[in-house]
Amino acid sequence: MIKFLQPPGWTAPKGYANGIAARGTTIFVGGQIGWNAQQQFESDDFIVQTGQALRNVAEVLREAGAGPEHMVRMTWYISDRDEYNARLSELGPVYRDAMGRNFPAMTCVQVAALVEARAKVEIEVTAVLPD
């Protein structure tokens, strides 16, 4: 069971949830970056890497018998906040292509660097597969 938490009187968020309550098997997806299954980057473009990172998250969820609809929390670590904000209109279609219209509680933070030097984004997810 997944229940979205929207306090009365709050403006509805766009592209994320304010909170989620869930019951079931918890799935923790470690930070996924924009490289392929062989751990090779196919592009240094932020949008391309984000699409790949999101597809990687979806693949790990599938391995647990879950899907994007089971996500309850998502954290994005980005190396360039200005690029993220400048390219938001490109992110929407890439996100929906990989995750559909599933918007968990989200946090996005800029970091000084990611462990993989070519990585521009790293995304981790918590999901709950209902009992």
Side-chain angles (χ1 to χ4, degrees):
M1 180 183 118
I2 294 176
K3 177 183 176 186
F4 290 90
L5 307 175
Q6 178 65 23
W10 283 30
T11 300
K14 294 181 181 177
Y16 66 95
N18 284 311
I20 296 177
R23 185 177 337 163
T25 301
T26 306
I27 302 159
F28 300 95
V29 179
Q32 298 297 308
I33 60 175
W35 61 17
N36 62 28
Q38 290 72 45
Q39 299 182 347
Q40 298 171 341
F41 288 96
E42 296 176 5
S43 175
D44 288 320
D45 180 75
F46 174 71
I47 299 298
V48 173
Q49 283 195 17
T50 300
Q52 183 64 58
L54 291 166
R55 288 188 299 277
N56 293 346
V57 166
E59 282 291 316
V60 175
L61 289 173
R62 274 192 284 283
E63 187 64 23
E69 68 275 16
H70 299 109
M71 295 185 302
V72 296
R73 180 149 186 82
M74 177 181 271
T75 304
W76 294 50
Y77 302 95
I78 56 172
S79 60
D80 187 339
R81 182 189 70 188
D82 293 334
E83 181 174 22
Y84 173 87
N85 285 323
R87 300 188 74 188
L88 277 174
S89 65
E90 297 171 75
L91 275 178
V94 169
Y95 181 91
R96 288 187 300 277
D97 184 56
M99 297 293 154
R101 293 196 168 275
N102 300 292
F103 305 106
M106 289 189 207
T107 301
C108 182
V109 295
Q110 178 177 307
V111 295
L114 296 165
V115 172
E116 291 296 327
R118 287 181 66 186
K120 297 192 175 215
V121 61
E122 185 165 342
I123 301 171
E124 65 181 12
V125 162
T126 304
V128 176
L129 192 57
D131 294 328

